[in-house]
Amino acid sequence: MDVENAVISTAETDMEMRKKLEAIIDEDALNWIFEKRDSFLDLISYYRCAMMEVQTKLNVLNEEYSIRFARNPIMSIKSRIKTIGSIQNKLKRKGLPFTLESLQNNIYDVAGLRVICAFTEDVYSIAASLLAQDDVTLIEKRDYIENPKANGYRSLHLIIEVPIFLASEKRKMKVEIQLRTVAMDCWASLEHQLRYKKNREFTEEMANELMRCAIISAELDERMNNLRRTVDALPVADDK
Ligand code: 0O2
């Protein structure tokens, strides 16, 4: 059972819901959810609105690029709201209390979008176009393409703040955007699957092999970029 669905469900009595949730999350999270359920659901819905807002901005950019350059720089967009369990773990890891204030002030990836682009250059053009918009504020940028993580992970991470307009107020909400190429996404998805396989030891040799795969993936992006530049430089033939 999904924690968020259980929290949102109104059909069940509190007692029934508590029983189901006990199997998934710990006592602290459980008490917190029951005390703050309404405010928590409001907050999550604001994050969902902000996520939709940013996704629309990205779709608009993709549409414009497709008209101007006859191709789509964005191949797909995935979105997700962080689960309660994952929020709780992150707060715990950072030694922070499990409160709504603490969540809003310290967890910047409650609303997350993953944008898969065709080429590395598209990652940077889309990021630049988004950040140039006057209602978008950049809070944090981590360029793991320029500076890959020690394990080889590459992506451009942005934390931005955007306004959402509610019936009687305007709120600024944070959204995390991970921009990456198809090759970067392929590596990250497979690495995640391999590394988190249950009850298996992940050896140093495996980590080294993953690193070699990351280098091949970076080379693939580089060669594809070069190929695209060559194709773009070709004279345009007349339509028959
Ligand atoms: P989920 O379920 O994807 O949300 P912070 O505490 O914010 O300073 P954090 O959150 O680790 O540090 O930030 P970072 O390093 O920018 O990475 C956050 C997200 O990037 C991760 O989310 C992953 O989605 C992705 N990511 C980062 N490093 C790796 C990696 O080595 N491999 C893969 N496959 N993905 C990575 P979470 O937090 O894992 O959870």
Side-chain angles (χ1 to χ4, degrees), residues 20-43:
K20 282 186 186 173
L21 287 173
E22 265 169 5
I24 313 169
I25 50 177
D26 73 16
E27 185 78 20
D28 276 359
L30 198 58
N31 291 335
W32 185 78
I33 285 164
F34 276 87
E35 263 171 44
K36 310 269 182 187
R37 185 161 65 183
D38 290 347
S39 326
F40 177 76
L41 289 180
D42 284 351
L43 184 60

Side-chain angles (χ1 to χ4, degrees), residues 80 82 90 94 142 144 149 151 157 178 188 191:
R80 69 106 184 83
K82 209 170 180 70
K90 194 160 186 175
K94 290 172 176 259
R142 291 188 190 174
Y144 297 124
K149 283 197 166 182
N151 61 357
H157 289 196
Q178 298 179 354
E191 184 261 1

Side-chain angles (χ1 to χ4, degrees), residues 54-66 71-78 113-119 121-127 129-130 177-182:
V54 178
Q55 183 148 2
T56 301
K57 284 175 176 295
L58 291 163
N59 284 334
V60 168
L61 286 174
N62 205 28
E63 177 79 18
E64 197 214 341
Y65 274 65
S66 79
R71 65 175 199 88
N72 291 107
I74 298 178
M75 308 200 62
S76 64
I77 303 176
K78 295 171 201 160
L113 289 166
R114 188 167 288 159
V115 185
I116 316 300
C117 295
F119 299 96
E121 286 170 2
D122 294 331
V123 164
Y124 289 108
S125 325
I126 292 290
S129 300
L130 182 68
I177 311 169
Q178 298 179 354
L179 296 116
R180 45 172 85 150
T181 62
V182 190

Side-chain angles (χ1 to χ4, degrees), residues 14 31 46 50 52 83 99 136 150 175 188:
D14 279 6
N31 291 335
Y46 300 151
M52 291 191 293
T83 62
T99 63
V136 174
V175 177

Side-chain angles (χ1 to χ4, degrees), residues 87-135:
I87 291 172
Q88 191 197 19
N89 286 340
K90 194 160 186 175
L91 285 170
K92 249 189 196 159
R93 223 174 41 238
K94 290 172 176 259
L96 294 164
F98 197 8
T99 63
L100 286 181
E101 292 67 35
S102 169
L103 189 166
Q104 285 182 89
N105 295 335
N106 301 293
I107 307 294
Y108 294 173
D109 64 343
V110 175
L113 289 166
R114 188 167 288 159
V115 185
I116 316 300
C117 295
F119 299 96
T120 314
E121 286 170 2
D122 294 331
V123 164
Y124 289 108
S125 325
I126 292 290
S129 300
L130 182 68
L131 294 176
Q133 300 185 6
D134 61 12
D135 56 350

